[in-house]
Amino acid sequence: MTANPTIERIPISFSGPGAGTAPLTWGQKALLEYLELTGVAADSCGAHFLAAGTTVETLVERIRETMSRHSALRMTWARGADGRPYQVVSESGEIELEVVTFDGETDPGDAIAYGNEIWQGWAVAPIDQYRDLSLRITMIRHPDLAPYVAICIGHTIADGTAAFLIMADLGLTDSIVRSGDPRTVGILEMARREQTPEVRRISDRAMSHREGLLRDIPPLTFGEPTHPECRLGQRYWRGFFHSPATYLGMLGLAARTRTDTTRALLAIIAIAIGRATGVNPLTTGVISSNRFRPGFGEIISTLAGESLVTLDLDGTVGDVVARIRRLSIAAGLHSYYDPEQYNELLARLDAERGYAARVTCRINDMRFGTRPANEAAARSEIITMDRIRARLPETFFEWDPTMTLEFIPEQLFVLISDRADSVDLMLMVDTARFSDEDVQALLRGVEEVAVEAALDPEVPTRLAPGRLAVP
């Protein structure tokens, strides 16, 4: 950088309704459990341009109004006498906006890089929910740029949909439109409802559904570790896969099976896993939004929960898509539950079968901003093999050396990232089970399945066990 920026920190006072206390919501308890287990921050972090000419004063007022409107943003945690955390929503308080200003001698790219470094740092530094509010925000200014805003929204108050709703209030996105549902409640009221017999019965039904899926699973989805040396001596790694060809294949498959891109892509990934490992049927966790429930559409809370599906991968790719379409409805209905009740179920099943067993495969479609455009493209674009082949050279995979994972409970966690014209996957991998070569073979399989089935869903799944087949 040719010049140092000036940094100003602006305090913003706020006040709003909904103050009080309540237990953690089910979604918060699940996230707390995962954070304590792994140390991995799951907050929604990124950077966005504001409309050119947006002033600091305008952003300050948007932040003030948003903090006042959403009680979840005024929430922190405290511990009770029993040591258990609970929520505290304040009626009023203060939050800080950092404003970083570069002069005209600075390269605009340096200003953008500065903002990106901020949010990338936030992404690996979990918000201290007992001390800090769940919104971090910095405004980057440069004479030759529209204002660039780095933002981080705590996952304990907002899943992907809620994060987009908050960003819409701040003027950072127009990809989501509010319906103004009058049934929408605050985060404390939601937690209190989860203590009622009526809502507890939803969790009871979810446990009954899961018991049938979990009773006969193996100890680990992909078997015991086979690479004790791990990757460079470190067991858990994160990597990134980029494939525009898979994106086009996904569009073609979704159009020809008359389904959505989420189900088409889940089929593609599951079949690739089956080809590589020989695991069939495959039981996997799939993140569901839960926002189809009455009054849940616009709640600022973390509502996304893990559903479980057991997929028979034999037959054709179209067969698997049809099974996913059928099974995902029931799975989604049973993804809203009390994690403490789920842990009790797991412990009971472990005792009854005589060994501990866990599902160690998870798939999460995180396309909140680009999914509507993807669905529109599946309905309108003409997919040809020439188009697909032209994009094949753009495929790549790389490990991320910047993020150390101390532990993850999964052997394979596949996250589908928010990209407009590519399938981008972020993988978290147990390299005691999957070597570098294993991971790359699996990801080549993702692209191969997508390309093969793009124009003909009736191609066979070809589940002959691959090089990392489970014994």
Side-chain angles (χ1 to χ4, degrees), residues 87 142 180 249 374:
Q87 303 181 79
H142 186 283
N374 289 173

Side-chain angles (χ1 to χ4, degrees), residues 104-347:
E105 296 180 2
T106 308
D107 188 311
D110 287 344
I112 293 173
Y114 185 97
N116 291 340
E117 287 177 6
I118 289 174
W119 75 257
Q120 289 165 4
W122 287 338
V124 296
I127 292 171
D128 185 346
Q129 197 67 64
Y130 294 94
R131 185 189 66 185
D132 300 323
L133 296 172
S134 293
L135 178 66
R136 297 164 166 166
I137 189 162
T138 295
M139 184 180 193
I140 313 295
R141 299 194 298 175
H142 186 283
D144 299 328
L145 292 172
Y148 194 56
V149 174
I151 185 170
C152 184
I153 302 169
H155 205 358
T156 57
I157 64 133
D159 56 18
T161 300
F164 267 86
L165 289 166
I166 292 168
M167 288 191 292
D169 288 344
L170 294 171
L172 298 177
T173 182
D174 57 4
S175 62
I176 194 164
V177 178
R178 293 183 180 279
S179 66
D181 188 344
R183 297 170 296 181
T184 301
V185 298
I187 196 166
L188 298 185
E189 178 60 24
M190 181 179 180
R192 294 169 186 141
R193 290 185 181 187
E194 289 174 348
Q195 311 304 308
T196 65
E198 178 183 10
V199 179
R200 297 270 346 153
R201 283 194 287 271
I202 297 175
S203 185
D204 293 341
R205 290 191 290 270
M207 294 306 103
S208 297
H209 175 77
R210 285 164 176 258
E211 181 168 356
L213 296 176
L214 296 170
R215 181 166 293 283
D216 297 321
I217 61 171
L220 297 169
T221 303
F222 301 113
E224 295 298 323
T226 52
H227 304 287
E229 71 284 0
C230 302
R231 184 176 193 274
L232 303 180
Q234 178 182 315
R235 182 164 182 177
Y236 303 102
W237 282 78
R238 184 172 75 166
F240 299 97
F241 175 69
H242 172 81
S243 175
T246 299
Y247 167 77
L248 293 174
M250 172 192 72
L251 296 184
L253 179 61
R256 283 166 175 77
T257 56
R258 297 185 178 183
T259 192
D260 58 65
T261 59
T262 292
R263 289 165 176 159
L265 193 51
L266 177 57
I268 290 167
I269 293 170
I271 293 167
I273 292 172
R275 284 185 181 182
T277 66
V279 171
N280 185 39
L282 173 69
T283 298
T284 182
V286 179
I287 306 302
S288 300
S289 78
N290 278 315
R291 289 185 176 268
F292 62 88
R293 299 176 185 278
F296 278 17
E298 296 177 1
I299 287 177
I300 302 302
S301 181
T302 181
L303 267 171
E306 184 183 67
S307 58
L308 289 177
V309 290
T310 297
L311 299 172
D312 176 1
L313 301 175
D314 281 328
T316 69
V317 175
D319 292 335
V320 176
V321 171
R323 290 170 195 145
I324 289 173
R325 187 161 45 204
R326 183 180 70 253
L327 294 172
S328 62
I329 296 172
L333 285 172
H334 297 107
S335 63
Y336 184 47
Y337 58 88
D338 183 347
E340 293 180 358
Q341 189 177 8
Y342 184 42
N343 288 336
E344 293 169 0
L345 170 66
L346 292 174

Side-chain angles (χ1 to χ4, degrees), residues 15-79:
S15 63
T21 65
L24 300 190
T25 66
W26 292 345
Q28 289 172 327
K29 288 196 288 187
L31 282 169
L32 176 61
E33 182 178 302
Y34 196 82
L35 180 60
E36 290 180 339
L37 195 62
T38 66
V40 175
D43 301 327
S44 298
C45 303
H48 309 263
F49 283 105
L50 288 169
T54 303
T55 65
V56 172
E57 291 75 19
T58 297
L59 182 57
V60 164
E61 285 309 307
R62 288 178 186 172
I63 294 171
R64 191 191 318 277
E65 291 170 4
T66 303
M67 295 295 298
S68 298
R69 180 180 302 119
H70 302 303
S71 59
L73 286 170
R74 292 180 270 114
M75 183 270 294
T76 55
W77 289 358
R79 290 194 183 276

